[in-house]
Amino acid sequence: MKIVITFGTFDIFHVGHINILERAAALGDYLIVGVSSDKLNFNKKKRHPIYNQVDRIKIIESLRFVDQVFIEESLELKLEYIKKYNADILVMGDDWVGKFDWVRSACDVIYLPRTPSISTTEIIEIVKSNTGI
Ligand code: C2G
Protein backbone atom coordinates (compact mmCIF):
# COMPACT_ATOMS: atom_id res chain seq x y z
CA MET A 1 0.00 0.00 0.00
CA LYS A 2 1.35 3.39 -1.01
CA ILE A 3 0.92 6.09 1.65
CA VAL A 4 0.84 9.74 0.62
CA ILE A 5 1.27 12.59 3.11
CA THR A 6 0.67 16.29 2.59
CA PHE A 7 0.50 19.40 4.77
CA GLY A 8 -1.33 22.69 4.76
CA THR A 9 -3.39 25.23 6.64
CA PHE A 10 -6.45 24.93 4.41
CA ASP A 11 -7.94 28.15 5.78
CA ILE A 12 -11.13 29.36 4.05
CA PHE A 13 -11.26 26.06 2.19
CA HIS A 14 -11.38 26.52 -1.61
CA VAL A 15 -11.08 24.62 -4.89
CA GLY A 16 -7.26 24.98 -4.99
CA HIS A 17 -7.18 22.93 -1.78
CA ILE A 18 -9.54 20.32 -3.23
CA ASN A 19 -7.43 20.05 -6.38
CA ILE A 20 -4.17 19.39 -4.57
CA LEU A 21 -5.71 16.88 -2.15
CA GLU A 22 -7.44 15.06 -5.00
CA ARG A 23 -4.20 14.85 -7.02
CA ALA A 24 -2.22 13.80 -3.93
CA ALA A 25 -4.72 11.00 -3.24
CA ALA A 26 -4.42 9.78 -6.83
CA LEU A 27 -0.66 9.24 -6.35
CA GLY A 28 -1.22 6.45 -3.80
CA ASP A 29 -3.71 4.33 -1.88
CA TYR A 30 -4.03 6.20 1.42
CA LEU A 31 -3.89 9.96 1.98
CA ILE A 32 -2.80 11.47 5.30
CA VAL A 33 -3.08 15.23 5.81
CA GLY A 34 -1.20 17.30 8.39
CA VAL A 35 -3.26 20.40 9.13
CA SER A 36 -1.17 23.22 10.61
CA SER A 37 -2.11 24.23 14.13
CA ASP A 38 -3.36 27.75 14.80
CA LYS A 39 -0.07 28.45 16.58
CA LEU A 40 2.10 27.26 13.69
CA ASN A 41 0.00 29.32 11.32
CA PHE A 42 0.47 32.44 13.38
CA ASN A 43 4.23 31.90 13.48
CA LYS A 44 4.33 31.36 9.70
CA LYS A 45 1.98 34.08 8.49
CA LYS A 46 1.82 36.54 11.39
CA ARG A 47 -1.94 36.38 11.43
CA HIS A 48 -4.48 34.02 12.93
CA PRO A 49 -6.33 31.79 10.50
CA ILE A 50 -9.96 32.77 9.88
CA TYR A 51 -11.13 29.22 10.67
CA ASN A 52 -9.68 27.66 13.82
CA GLN A 53 -7.89 24.31 13.72
CA VAL A 54 -10.87 22.34 15.03
CA ASP A 55 -13.02 23.54 12.14
CA ARG A 56 -10.22 23.21 9.55
CA ILE A 57 -9.64 19.61 10.65
CA LYS A 58 -13.37 18.86 10.51
CA ILE A 59 -13.52 20.10 6.91
CA ILE A 60 -10.48 18.07 5.77
CA GLU A 61 -11.69 14.93 7.59
CA SER A 62 -14.99 15.08 5.78
CA LEU A 63 -13.43 14.73 2.30
CA ARG A 64 -13.94 11.33 0.69
CA PHE A 65 -10.38 11.13 -0.67
CA VAL A 66 -8.73 11.93 2.69
CA ASP A 67 -8.12 8.89 4.91
CA GLN A 68 -6.47 10.36 7.99
CA VAL A 69 -5.81 13.80 9.49
CA PHE A 70 -3.49 15.03 12.23
CA ILE A 71 -2.31 18.40 13.55
CA GLU A 72 1.02 19.69 12.24
CA GLU A 73 2.68 21.42 15.18
CA SER A 74 5.95 22.46 13.52
CA LEU A 75 7.48 22.68 10.03
CA GLU A 76 10.69 21.16 11.38
CA LEU A 77 8.90 17.93 12.39
CA LYS A 78 8.24 16.90 8.76
CA LEU A 79 10.66 13.99 8.88
CA GLU A 80 9.24 12.71 12.19
CA TYR A 81 5.70 12.80 10.78
CA ILE A 82 6.81 11.04 7.58
CA LYS A 83 8.42 8.26 9.62
CA LYS A 84 5.57 8.02 12.13
CA TYR A 85 2.97 7.57 9.38
CA ASN A 86 5.23 5.44 7.14
CA ALA A 87 4.67 7.78 4.21
CA ASP A 88 6.06 6.80 0.79
CA ILE A 89 5.44 10.16 -0.87
CA LEU A 90 5.35 13.74 0.42
CA VAL A 91 3.21 16.00 -1.78
CA MET A 92 3.37 19.80 -1.58
CA GLY A 93 2.23 22.64 -3.81
CA ASP A 94 4.91 24.19 -6.01
CA ASP A 95 5.03 27.32 -3.86
CA TRP A 96 7.19 25.05 -1.67
CA VAL A 97 9.54 23.81 -4.42
CA GLY A 98 12.89 22.70 -3.00
CA LYS A 99 11.89 23.49 0.61
CA PHE A 100 11.36 19.90 1.64
CA ASP A 101 13.99 18.12 -0.45
CA TRP A 102 15.81 17.38 2.80
CA VAL A 103 13.33 14.55 3.58
CA ARG A 104 14.17 12.68 0.35
CA SER A 105 16.18 10.13 2.36
CA ALA A 106 12.88 8.97 3.90
CA CYS A 107 10.39 9.26 1.01
CA ASP A 108 9.74 10.65 -2.48
CA VAL A 109 8.92 14.36 -2.63
CA ILE A 110 6.56 15.64 -5.31
CA TYR A 111 5.65 19.30 -5.82
CA LEU A 112 2.38 19.73 -7.73
CA PRO A 113 1.46 22.91 -9.61
CA ARG A 114 -0.85 25.22 -7.68
CA THR A 115 -4.30 26.01 -9.00
CA PRO A 116 -4.01 29.47 -10.59
CA SER A 117 -6.01 32.54 -9.57
CA ILE A 118 -7.24 31.47 -6.15
CA SER A 119 -5.79 31.74 -2.67
CA THR A 120 -6.92 32.30 0.89
CA THR A 121 -5.05 35.62 0.95
CA GLU A 122 -6.81 36.77 -2.21
CA ILE A 123 -10.24 35.80 -0.84
CA ILE A 124 -9.53 37.81 2.34
CA GLU A 125 -8.49 40.84 0.24
CA ILE A 126 -11.62 40.65 -1.91
CA VAL A 127 -13.88 40.40 1.13
CA LYS A 128 -12.04 43.29 2.82
CA SER A 129 -12.29 45.57 -0.18
CA ASN A 130 -15.91 44.51 -0.65
CA THR A 131 -15.58 44.56 -4.44
CA GLY A 132 -15.85 40.81 -4.94
CA ILE A 133 -19.51 40.51 -5.82
N1 C2G B 1 -2.65 25.21 -2.98
C1 C2G B 1 -2.79 24.98 -4.35
N2 C2G B 1 -3.40 25.94 -5.14
C2 C2G B 1 -3.85 27.09 -4.60
C3 C2G B 1 -3.71 27.33 -3.23
C4 C2G B 1 -3.10 26.36 -2.42
O1 C2G B 1 -2.38 23.93 -4.87
N3 C2G B 1 -4.40 27.98 -5.41
C5 C2G B 1 -1.97 24.20 -2.17
C6 C2G B 1 -0.68 24.70 -1.53
O2 C2G B 1 0.38 24.66 -2.46
C7 C2G B 1 -0.50 23.72 -0.37
C8 C2G B 1 -1.96 23.37 0.00
O3 C2G B 1 -2.78 23.81 -1.09
O4 C2G B 1 0.18 22.55 -0.81
C9 C2G B 1 -2.38 24.06 1.27
O5 C2G B 1 -2.18 25.44 1.10
P1 C2G B 1 -2.08 26.39 2.37
O6 C2G B 1 -3.27 26.20 3.22
O7 C2G B 1 -1.73 27.76 1.90
O8 C2G B 1 -0.89 25.71 3.13
P2 C2G B 1 0.42 26.39 3.66
O9 C2G B 1 0.06 27.51 4.56
O10 C2G B 1 1.32 26.58 2.49
O11 C2G B 1 0.95 25.27 4.63
O12 C2G B 1 4.08 22.26 6.28
C10 C2G B 1 3.69 23.08 5.25
C11 C2G B 1 2.59 23.98 5.58
O13 C2G B 1 1.75 23.52 6.59
C12 C2G B 1 1.86 24.33 4.29
Side-chain angles (χ1 to χ4, degrees):
M1 185 171 78
K2 215 168 222 181
I3 299 175
V4 182
I5 194 165
T6 191
F7 296 84
T9 309
F10 305 105
D11 192 22
I12 316 183
F13 194 69
H14 60 67
V15 74
H17 297 143
I18 287 277
N19 288 341
I20 197 155
L21 292 173
E22 209 172 27
R23 284 176 296 162
L27 292 171
D29 308 297
Y30 192 85
L31 178 62
I32 303 177
V33 183
V35 174
S36 9
S37 68
D38 291 339
K39 207 167 138 212
L40 169 57
N41 202 257
F42 187 78
N43 292 339
K44 247 183 349 186
K45 302 186 181 168
K46 299 298 165 228
R47 65 166 178 81
H48 292 288
I50 306 288
Y51 298 167
N52 68 40
Q53 64 192 44
V54 173
D55 291 350
R56 289 182 289 111
I57 284 173
K58 190 166 184 180
I59 290 168
I60 302 300
E61 266 176 353
S62 72
L63 301 172
R64 66 170 177 272
F65 38 80
V66 172
D67 298 291
Q68 200 174 333
V69 178
F70 68 94
I71 292 208
E72 179 191 27
E73 303 280 1
S74 157
L75 294 180
E76 284 75 43
L77 289 174
K78 280 264 168 343
L79 195 57
E80 279 73 10
Y81 293 133
I82 286 164
K83 287 181 182 159
K84 179 175 175 191
Y85 293 103
N86 272 318
D88 300 290
I89 310 173
L90 167 66
V91 170
M92 296 297 299
D94 63 4
D95 44 328
W96 290 94
V97 157
K99 298 266 166 42
F100 297 115
D101 287 357
W102 58 277
V103 304
R104 280 194 199 274
S105 56
C107 70
D108 285 345
V109 181
I110 299 180
Y111 302 99
L112 294 176
R114 279 169 69 92
T115 301
S117 314
I118 187 154
S119 74
T120 299
T121 311
E122 212 171 301
I123 294 168
I124 292 171
E125 289 310 316
I126 292 168
V127 172
K128 264 192 198 160
S129 66
N130 203 18
T131 55
I133 301 164

